[in-house]
Amino acid sequence: EPEVTQTPSHQVTQMGQEVILRCVPISNHLYFYWYRQILGQKVEFLVSFYNNEISEKSEIFDDQFSVERPDGSNFTLKIRSTKLEDSAMYFCASTGTEAFFGQGTRLTVV
Amino acid sequence: KQEVTQIPAALSVPEGENLVLNCSFTDSAIYNLQWFRQDPGKGLTSLLLIQSSQREQTSGRLNASLDKSSGRSTLYIAASQPGDSATYLCAVRDTGFQKLVFGTGTRLLVSP
């Protein structure tokens, strides 16, 4: 069974700090994504990444956010100057035909 | 803009019942539809994928149908078990863009 791996599983950070969430997508997939889920709410799309560039981003994905694929395996989401409302579960996904999700990183901003 | 709705929002049934979860979407131009399971505080586990050209998919006690023209999908769970208790999410993937659009989910509780 193919697997998307995310680290860390939990992250607590102080407001205003920068965090980097990491993901290892499935190796032969071409599309990579970040989604987030605020507690009790829908899973929301943040950004998609294809061929080493952003292919689509949502209104949520403003200048505070950035994504990178620094090498052949990792895919990262950086959140600069975190705010309380950034507290959420962040999911990485990759797709061939089917979308596979990681177990998520629970980010708590205090 | 694609909107996905799931009803009911919550469902509580005794063990052994057959049940149906509903998903509707506003734009029928979809690439595929996936059903996911989410346990509390956990990630999303893919249950079934239906391509836009397909009418249904089956996996074990699960059967998902797709009526693209009416913008509906159903997830049928046969002989429910307490281990089926979770939130079930429906998500559609549009043809033009690759992202998934999620519904709000159905929270299922199966009691022994």
Side-chain angles (χ1 to χ4, degrees), chain A:
Chain A
E1 176 76 10
E3 190 175 63
V4 175
T5 306
Q6 287 186 245
T7 55
S9 56
H10 294 91
Q11 174 100 43
V12 180
T13 189
Q14 290 206 327
M15 195 167 50
Q17 296 297 304
E18 175 182 286
V19 294
I20 297 176
L21 310 183
R22 291 182 166 80
C23 170
V24 179
I26 294 167
S27 58
N28 62 347
H29 284 178
L30 300 178
Y31 282 89
F32 313 119
Y33 309 81
W34 285 99
Y35 294 82
R36 79 172 185 190
Q37 186 178 34
I38 295 170
L39 188 63
Q41 297 187 22
K42 275 189 186 187
V43 176
E44 304 174 285
F45 167 76
L46 293 177
V47 65
S48 59
F49 195 83
Y50 172 74
N51 200 26
N52 285 320
E53 61 182 25
I54 291 173
S55 54
E56 188 183 0
K57 59 184 180 179
S58 71
E59 295 171 351
I60 303 167
F61 194 89
D62 59 20
D63 292 343
Q64 184 193 6
F65 296 89
S66 63
V67 289
E68 196 175 40
R69 190 159 160 81
D71 54 42
S73 59
N74 291 288
F75 180 50
T76 63
L77 174 69
K78 182 188 290 186
I79 310 174
R80 287 180 282 274
S81 189
T82 50
K83 299 176 275 198
L84 294 176
E85 55 264 38
D86 294 328
S87 295
M89 183 78 100
Y90 288 80
F91 293 109
C92 174
S94 67
T95 61
T97 302
E98 187 173 358
F100 290 90
F101 282 73
Q103 288 301 298
T105 294
R106 180 169 298 285
L107 177 65
T108 303
V109 182
V110 296

